[in-house]
């Protein structure tokens, strides 16, 4: 089959580490299918634009995957320029797509809603199968994080686009397990039957993970300190991640063996570093940015990996954090400090969950984990490694292909 994947942000992973569609493309190509990824030339959360001249688009091949980059203007932050960038990609996409042979399937990804809608419209134009791939609930996420209200006119416009996508796509793939709960909550179930909705979470390439764990190791004395109980967090360090709560918890942990090791960068990094000095939080180490290839080694050296985020109402529909699967693949116990009825690490029996989303609860749970019998901690680790097998990207690609073919 000829398959187009339309995703505003799916540039090569070396520029922006969202590997979902790249992994799908690689595996579909191994199965004998022809795949093109259409993405914007701008790299999110950076100043990089992959088209530096006035070309309308650019074709590149990276690790065997073919990308068509649509020239879009640079932006920073989440203001008006980013909105214009979203609209620009959707507006420019159709005439560029006409330069390529028609597909048999279009996998059209949200976020953004504009790009996802354009993909479904192109599918109708070319009379091919269309699949809407929803990896973030917009505008529900904006409402949940109180960026805009449910009654805001912008919310109503985005809901209208969202509903159009769900109704007009041939099939819908959500990356969160409770997606149909959301459709029922919106009272759209009469227009969107349950058998049209599918669940494929994010995942991990286990073969690549194990290779990277052995080949890409870092020299860090804290990671190999056998006397310490290493609590590891890998991810962004931004307001949305609320790592300030983890510092509050670190101050309350009683066991002196515990060391918090945080890998990542973001606009809150310096502020949190200053807190550790000013408040003498001596059991926390900030390690800076970690390239994706080093994450398998880092998470595999942990005694306890932490999946931490803000506690938001949006989680009632499920979650698809990439870090879930890096932690599961590491085969080590996992700490979860927020509630969601659809949580892959809890379902795998690999995680210990705090009673509350609070510093006291996190600290007391960690103190309990440190003194757990070794056999019990090892069982959590075995559950993690066994549970991640269903999220290997080859298995996920087979599910996606089955939807495409049937």
């Amino acid at each position: 089959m000829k398959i187009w994947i339309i995703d505003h942000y799916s540039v090569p992973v070396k520029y922006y580490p969202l590997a979902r569609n790249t992994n799908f493309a690689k595996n579909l190509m191994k199965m004998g299918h022809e795949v093109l990824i259409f993405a914007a030339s701008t790299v999110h959360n950076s100043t990089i634009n992959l088209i530096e001249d006035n070309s309308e688009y650019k074709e590149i091949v990276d690790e065997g995957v073919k990308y068509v980059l649509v020239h879009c203007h640079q932006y920073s932050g989440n203001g008006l320029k980013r909105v214009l960038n979203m609209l620009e990609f959707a507006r420019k996409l159709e005439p560029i797509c006409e330069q390529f042979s028609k597909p048999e399937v279009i996998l059209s990804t949200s976020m953004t809603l504009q790009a996802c809608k354009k993909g479904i419209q192109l599918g109708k134009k070319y009379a091919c199968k269309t699949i809407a791939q929803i990896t973030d609930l917009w505008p529900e996420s904006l409402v949940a994080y109180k960026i805009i209200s449910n009654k805001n006119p912008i919310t109503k416009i985005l809901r209208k686009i969202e509903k159009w996508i769900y109704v007009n796509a041939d099939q819908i793939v959500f990356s969160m397990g409770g997606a149909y709960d959301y459709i029922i909550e919106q009272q759209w179930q009469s227009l969107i039957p349950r058998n049209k909705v599918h669940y494929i979470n994010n995942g991990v390439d286990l073969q690549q993970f194990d290779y990277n764990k052995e080949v890409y190791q870092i020299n860090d004395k804290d990671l190999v300190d056998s006397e310490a109980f290493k609590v590891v967090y890998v991810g962004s360090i931004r307001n949305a991640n609320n790592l300030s709560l983890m510092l509050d918890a670190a101050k309350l942990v009683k066991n002196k063996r515990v060391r918090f090791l945080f890998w990542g960068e973001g606009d809150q990094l310096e502020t949190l570093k200053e807190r550790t000095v000013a408040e003498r939080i001596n059991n926390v180490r900030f390690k800076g940015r970690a390239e994706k290839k080093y994450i398998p080694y880092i998470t595999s050296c942990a005694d306890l990996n932490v999946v931490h985020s803000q506690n938001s109402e949006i989680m009632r529909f499920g979650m698809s954090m990439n870090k879930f699967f890096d932690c599961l693949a590491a085969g080590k116990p996992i700490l979860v400090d927020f509630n969601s009825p659809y949580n892959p690490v809890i379902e795998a029996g690999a995680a210990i969950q705090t009673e509350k989303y609070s510093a006291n609860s996190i600290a007391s749970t960690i103190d309990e984990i440190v003194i757990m019998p070794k056999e019990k901690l090892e069982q959590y680790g075995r559950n993690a490694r066994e549970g991640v097998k269903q999220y290997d990207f080859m298995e996920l690609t087979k599910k996606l292909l089955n939807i495409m073919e049937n």
Side-chain angles (χ1 to χ4, degrees):
M1 284 190 295
K2 289 184 177 179
I3 301 165
W4 287 1
I5 298 176
I6 294 173
D7 182 356
H8 190 116
Y9 298 107
S10 274
V11 295
V13 177
K14 65 186 178 185
Y15 298 113
Y16 189 59
L18 287 181
R20 180 183 177 96
N21 286 326
T22 297
N23 283 325
F24 282 149
K26 286 179 179 179
N27 289 331
L28 287 166
M29 289 164 65
K30 287 178 184 177
M31 296 172 181
H33 302 284
E34 185 180 326
V35 184
L36 272 180
I37 296 180
F38 291 84
S41 63
T42 44
V43 179
H44 188 50
N45 282 339
S46 83
T47 58
I48 299 171
N49 195 316
L50 298 175
I51 299 179
E52 297 179 341
D53 55 22
N54 293 321
S55 302
E56 292 181 355
Y57 70 94
K58 180 180 181 180
E59 297 177 61
I60 64 172
V61 177
D62 188 86
E63 295 185 6
V65 178
K66 299 177 183 179
Y67 299 83
V68 179
L69 302 174
V70 178
H71 193 178
C72 294
H73 289 89
Q74 203 68 36
Y75 68 93
S76 61
N78 294 310
L80 179 60
K81 285 188 176 181
R82 184 181 180 191
V83 174
L84 294 175
N85 176 275
M86 295 177 185
L87 296 172
E88 183 182 20
F89 175 73
R91 175 173 55 83
K92 290 182 173 180
L93 186 61
E94 185 168 350
I96 291 171
C97 286
E98 290 174 354
Q99 310 302 312
F100 300 88
S101 58
K102 295 179 182 179
E104 295 166 78
V105 179
I106 293 178
L107 179 67
S108 195
T109 304
S110 167
M111 156 82 175
T112 68
L113 286 175
Q114 293 85 352
C116 190
K117 180 181 179 181
K118 179 57 70 174
I120 305 305
Q121 290 172 329
L122 287 168
K124 290 182 178 295
K125 175 180 177 178
Y126 297 132
C128 69
K129 300 174 184 177
T130 57
I131 301 172
Q133 179 176 225
I134 311 302
T135 56
D136 201 353
L137 289 174
W138 279 63
E140 188 64 28
S141 293
L142 296 174
V143 175
Y145 288 109
K146 296 180 172 53
I147 297 172
I148 56 177
S149 76
N150 207 29
K151 296 180 180 180
N152 190 301
I154 295 173
T155 306
K156 293 179 180 180
I157 292 169
L158 293 177
R159 284 239 195 267
K160 189 174 181 180
I161 298 171
E162 178 190 29
K163 183 180 178 181
W164 186 96
I165 291 168
Y166 296 174
V167 170
N168 286 277
D170 293 322
Q171 301 291 322
I172 315 168
V173 170
F174 286 91
S175 64
M176 58 288 298
Y180 208 76
D181 296 350
Y182 175 70
I183 288 171
I184 291 171
E185 194 171 290
Q186 297 301 319
Q187 300 181 350
W188 295 341
Q189 66 270 33
S190 63
L191 297 171
I192 306 162
R194 190 178 291 271
N195 62 6
K196 182 177 172 175
V197 176
H198 309 272
Y199 165 55
I200 302 178
N201 210 317
N202 287 327
V204 61
D205 182 335
L206 283 177
Q207 185 176 2
Q208 188 68 52
F209 183 96
D210 292 340
Y211 174 83
N212 287 352
K213 181 176 73 172
E214 297 303 322
V215 174
Y216 296 107
Q217 301 186 358
I218 58 177
N219 183 17
D220 186 282
K221 63 180 182 180
D222 288 317
L223 270 182
V224 295
D225 184 354
S226 59
E227 298 300 315
F229 187 89
K230 301 173 285 290
V231 179
V232 170
Y233 168 88
V234 179
S236 296
I237 302 179
R238 301 178 184 278
N239 267 330
N241 305 100
N242 195 22
L243 277 184
S244 181
L245 181 67
M246 292 301 296
L247 293 195
D248 293 339
K251 291 170 65 175
L252 297 173
V253 167
K254 296 175 181 177
N255 196 301
K256 301 302 181 185
R257 289 182 57 215
V258 174
R259 295 288 179 275
F260 291 84
L261 309 179
F262 296 158
W263 266 269
E265 60 183 359
D267 54 18
Q268 288 294 298
L269 178 58
E270 292 306 316
T271 300
L272 296 179
K273 278 185 174 181
E274 290 169 5
R275 263 198 70 188
T276 61
V277 174
E279 299 174 30
R280 298 181 181 179
I281 311 174
N282 298 319
N283 56 354
V284 172
R285 309 281 187 272
F286 287 97
K287 298 295 185 176
R289 179 177 178 270
E291 286 186 56
K292 181 73 173 176
K293 64 185 179 182
Y294 294 111
I295 290 175
Y297 177 73
I298 292 169
T299 54
S300 297
C301 287
D303 294 301
L304 179 69
N305 283 305
V306 174
V307 179
H308 167 80
S309 183
Q310 285 194 33
N311 200 24
S312 168
E313 289 184 2
I314 196 72
M315 295 177 183
R316 68 190 185 279
F317 304 119
M319 306 188 70
S320 51
M321 294 180 179
N322 288 313
K323 66 185 73 175
F324 279 154
F325 309 100
D326 288 324
C327 291
L328 284 170
K332 295 297 177 73
I334 300 166
L335 175 71
V336 175
D337 59 10
F338 50 80
N339 290 313
S340 174
Y342 304 95
N343 188 323
V345 295
I346 297 292
E347 291 166 2
I352 302 99
Q353 188 169 6
T354 61
E355 288 187 9
K356 297 178 181 178
Y357 185 73
S358 70
N360 277 320
S361 188
I362 294 168
S364 61
T365 303
I366 290 173
D367 277 326
E368 290 171 9
I369 292 170
V370 176
I371 59 173
M372 278 185 182
K374 181 181 178 181
E375 296 77 13
K376 188 171 184 178
L377 291 175
E378 288 175 346
Q379 186 60 57
Y380 280 116
R382 286 192 293 271
N383 291 348
R385 186 64 192 199
E386 184 63 29
V388 80
K389 291 178 181 177
Q390 64 179 304
Y391 298 106
D392 181 86
F393 258 108
M394 182 54 76
E395 296 303 313
L396 300 181
T397 307
K398 290 175 184 176
K399 291 177 67 175
L400 178 62
L401 183 61
N402 186 57
I403 296 165
M404 290 179 173
E405 292 179 336
N406 296 297

